[in-house]
Each structure stands twice: as structure tokens, then as C-alpha cells.
Amino acid sequence: MSLDQLEKRIESELAYIDFPLRSWMPPPTVDGAYDVVIVGAGQSGLATAHGLMREHVHNILVLDRAKEGSEGVWPHFARMHTLRTHKKASGLDFGNPLLTPQAWYTAQYGESAWEQLQKIPTEVWHAYLQWYRRVLKLPVRNGAEVLSIVPEGAHLRLALAGGSTLLARKVVLATGLVGGGSWYLPEIAKGLPRDCYAHTENEIDFHALAGARIGVLGGGASAFDNAATALEHGARSVDLCIRLPALPRVNPNKWMESHGFLGHYYALSDAARWTFTRQVASMNQPPPQETLWRCTKHANFTLHTGTAWHSVELDSEGMHVQTPQGPMIFDFLIFGTGLVQDLQKRPELAGLAADIATWADRYVPIAGEEDDALARSPYLGAHYEFMERHPGSAPHLRNIHAFNFGATLSQGLSAASISGMKFGLRRLVTGLVGDLFMQDAEWHLQSLRAYALPEIETYRPGLPIDEWEQSGVPTFS
């Protein structure tokens, strides 16, 4: 089946399951207002839009600050060669096999090519997302950066860069890994000239680093990805330093990939969710095997365990980094130090963050299980909605849904995880549609009372009910 044939089958088969067919949403109470605005046109934002349209919620808009074709992490700082997840992992299809990456890939390259594929290359995944957006005709507006969200009556007003605004009844923050806070940069970097270092999420000119001595701090996959990219662009040497005494070898994310955990973690007690997430964090996810090999095949790569960076001083020789193993000298530093959960650091939430409940507001762990990083996570409802820090003080918050990495403690792997989207997306969409229906319950009641479409048209074929009643024969009561 060719790609053109696949697309025609998708259009046809989506119609097969398009029931009920009746349009059911009321018209906007304010001209130009949307029922749902989704911030972010990466994989989560696109899939949320499709999920809503399947439920006949069409008055929606997806916003992304990037130009078309540059949305999400894949064209930017995702420097891995392939996805981390299994090639069959996808939730964007909502159960439709024709929308899976496998269907799209085999339509272009054949079944044999799919069978030979080990993991999906990042550029292939990005191309799949662009196709998904096109074939489903998703309503995306590019070049639209959200600066703030504030309540306005029954709506939320989104202020965009450039001065324009939008009104929405519901907002979904499909803002990816950093959607719950900001990238973390250690204190030792803050006194350095900005051209001497980068975080792994930054745009980095690796060509300019050819011949340079590069130090990388961090033991996660992104640190190794950046180390490998620097080596492949001709770095003189790359030293990757981790504080742990040994390189982690067990990946807890693989354990989590089950229908039970991915589908029902969110329903666990607060204590159980806290304990599970602390356990996962304590296991320190390693880089994928092939990512480590990508680094170690270079003779000028060195991995240093038990090597935290205590301080950095810059002089004419370079940057002198003090470590427990002695000083090291580099020309450029890359920090693979992850991110921090802190809603105050999200510009679009700056005016709301003080009212949003965090886990620190809702749960007190037992002695010995305290964790400040987890405590800063937003405490979300069952459908990813923000909760009020003080009940009754900010009811508009339940209309903002955080479908991003910040949801991990409350919801488990879902929003920023391909393997978890299959479960999280359905729950999010169910919550959005259910809330919209309940908000409009009175309108629907009046619609029911005004409903007058006859089911009976004729007494028998060829004899309209009106004529039968007028004939004088007894009428039914």
C-alpha cells in the first residue's frame, strides 16, 4: 500500500467509526473564543488535538512558537540518533492501526525495511509527526508564543508575543520536558562567560568546537548524546564526568512499560505514587547501550565516575575544573544537568503559580522519604488539571491541564513519554470533553427541551401521520 493509498484509507476508515455523527457543542458565548487552546505542537499537542476532534470538539487551536516543521525537540536539542523507546510505541493513533508509525513507514519503505529497523531514527519520527499533522488536518498556528494566561470571566485569556490575545474555555499545556519548570544550571556555571559553556538543551555550534577540549557534566542520556555529537564534529577530546561512583546499568523505565503501571499509576494513593517515583529516581536511568557505544568508539573519549565538579576558574589556559580526582582543564563545558520543577519559572504561569497546589501542599512523606525536588511538582487532578493551593480561591485553575513532564509524579509516564502517551492521552481527552459537557449542562437541557425532530412520519408507507389523524379515525394517545 502506497502512502497515497494509506491516506485515502485513513480518511475512509475514520468515517467508519465517526459515531455519533451529531454536532453537539454549543456555539461560543463570546465571539472568537475557543473551547480548547493547546500550547505546543509537538507530539503531545498534535495528539491531543486529534483526540478532541474524534470527540467532535472542533473549536480548538494548537499554538507553537516555532515555525512550521521546527516544532518540538527533534529538530533542535534531541541529539540522539534514534528514539529510546521500542519502535512500536505510539499513542498518537488512538487505536487506529493506520495512524501508527509502522503503517506510515511501511507505506513508504516496505514491510522488509520496517522489520530491519531496530529503533526509529529521530528525523524519521519528526517526519512522521509532520505527516500526522497534515493527514489529520490539525488546526495549528505557528509563530505564536504564549506569554501569559489569566482568568477572564468563564474564560482564560492568553497573551501572545506581538500583542494579540486569545480566549479559551480550556488550555492544555503540551509543553514537553521543561513544561513544569526550567533547565537546571549549577552555580559553578553562573560566573563564566556565556560563550564558554552550554546546557544540553541549548543550540550548540559543534562545528566551532572542532579541536577543543570539552568537558561534559552529567550521567543522563542527553549528556552522552552531546558528548558523542562533539566527538563526531572533531573535538580534540571529550571528558564526561558523573558524580556517581559507577555508571548506572539498570533502566527502570523499561520496567514501567506495562499496561498496569502506565495505565493505572495515576490511581494509586499519594503515598504509593511518591514511593514509586522516588524509587525510580534513585535508580538513575543509564544512557542506552548504543549511545554509550557511540561515545566509546572514539579513542579521545573518557568517562570519569565519582567526579563531581566543585568549582571552575577561567584563565588563559582554559577552564580549570576542580574535582575529587584532581583538576581538569577544558576549552568548553556542556552541562547535562537536567531540569528543575518550579512553576514560578514558567512565564505563561507566572501570574498563576502562587495559587497552584504542589505536592508540598498536599502530601507529607514519612521520615526519610523527603524530597524537595518532588515536593515542587504540581499536584494534578485525574485529568491533568491544576488544583488550587487553597480550595475555592482560584477555580479557573481546573481549566488548565498540564500535559507535560511536570505531570510525572501525579500521573506517571504519560505526557512527555512516547511509551506512556497511549494511556495519558485518552485520560486527558476524556477529562476535557467531560468538563466541557458539564459546563454546558444547562444549555444541553434546553436543547433537549427544544428537540422536536419527529421519529414517526407516516402511519403506514404512503400515509403521512397528519393525513391519518385528519381522516377521523381514532388517534393514539
Side-chain angles (χ1 to χ4, degrees), residues 51 75 93 185 206 261 283 331 355 366 388 390 442:
D93 51 83
L185 201 61
F206 285 96
F261 191 85
M283 295 174 75
D331 302 310
D355 293 323
I366 63 175
E388 299 163 299
H390 304 291
E442 180 60 30

Side-chain angles (χ1 to χ4, degrees), residues 113-378:
W114 175 260
E115 292 301 322
Q116 294 174 28
L117 192 68
Q118 297 300 309
K119 291 183 178 179
I120 298 178
T122 53
E123 66 273 13
V124 171
W125 180 257
H126 184 63
Y128 162 71
L129 294 176
Q130 297 303 301
W131 170 80
Y132 180 93
R133 167 181 171 173
R134 177 180 62 79
V135 76
L136 294 173
K137 302 178 177 63
L138 302 179
V140 180
R141 181 188 299 178
N142 288 96
E145 181 179 4
V146 177
L147 300 181
S148 67
I149 304 170
V150 296
E152 186 171 305
H155 293 81
L156 296 160
R157 183 171 291 279
L158 292 80
L160 308 183
S164 64
T165 64
L166 295 172
L167 283 178
R169 297 168 66 193
K170 287 279 190 181
V171 172
V172 177
L173 300 176
T175 41
L177 283 171
V178 75
S182 65
W183 299 107
Y184 174 69
L185 201 61
E187 287 293 327
I188 60 172
K190 295 181 180 177
L192 296 173
R194 191 61 190 84
D195 59 354
C196 290
Y197 69 91
H199 194 282
T200 52
E201 60 87 23
N202 294 144
E203 298 285 350
I204 300 175
D205 184 358
F206 285 96
H207 293 286
L209 298 179
R213 300 166 297 178
I214 297 176
V216 181
L217 179 64
S222 64
F224 283 85
D225 289 332
N226 279 261
T229 304
L231 290 161
E232 292 159 359
H233 284 76
R236 173 179 165 185
S237 63
V238 173
D239 291 83
L240 191 149
C241 302
I242 64 175
R243 59 180 174 78
L244 296 173
L247 180 67
R249 297 176 62 185
V250 175
N251 184 356
N253 280 30
K254 296 299 183 184
W255 179 91
M256 289 189 281
E257 291 179 347
S258 72
H259 281 74
F261 191 85
L262 295 177
H264 301 283
Y265 164 94
Y266 80 98
L268 293 170
S269 67
D270 288 355
R273 286 184 287 176
W274 183 273
T275 302
F276 265 111
T277 302
R278 282 193 78 247
Q279 178 61 39
V280 170
S282 72
M283 295 174 75
N284 294 301
Q285 182 182 7
Q289 178 66 78
E290 57 269 26
T291 302
L292 178 60
W293 289 343
R294 187 180 163 199
C295 292
T296 57
K297 72 179 182 180
H298 296 273
N300 52 342
F301 170 77
T302 307
L303 172 62
H304 304 268
T305 58
T307 309
W309 291 1
H310 296 318
S311 64
V312 182
E313 294 181 2
L314 177 64
D315 64 18
S316 59
E317 291 184 323
M319 283 172 283
H320 297 252
V321 177
Q322 299 301 320
T323 81
Q325 312 304 325
M328 307 174 78
I329 302 178
F330 302 114
D331 302 310
F332 192 82
L333 304 179
I334 299 176
F335 293 94
T337 44
L339 48 85
V340 60
Q341 296 293 331
D342 186 350
L343 296 177
Q344 296 280 0
K345 296 182 181 295
R346 295 299 308 169
E348 70 275 12
L349 295 176
L352 303 173
D355 293 323
I356 297 173
T358 66
W359 273 74
D361 300 311
R362 291 288 192 273
Y363 178 68
V364 178
I366 63 175
E369 287 199 357
E370 300 88 349
D371 190 310
D372 290 342
L374 290 183
R376 289 191 295 269
S377 298

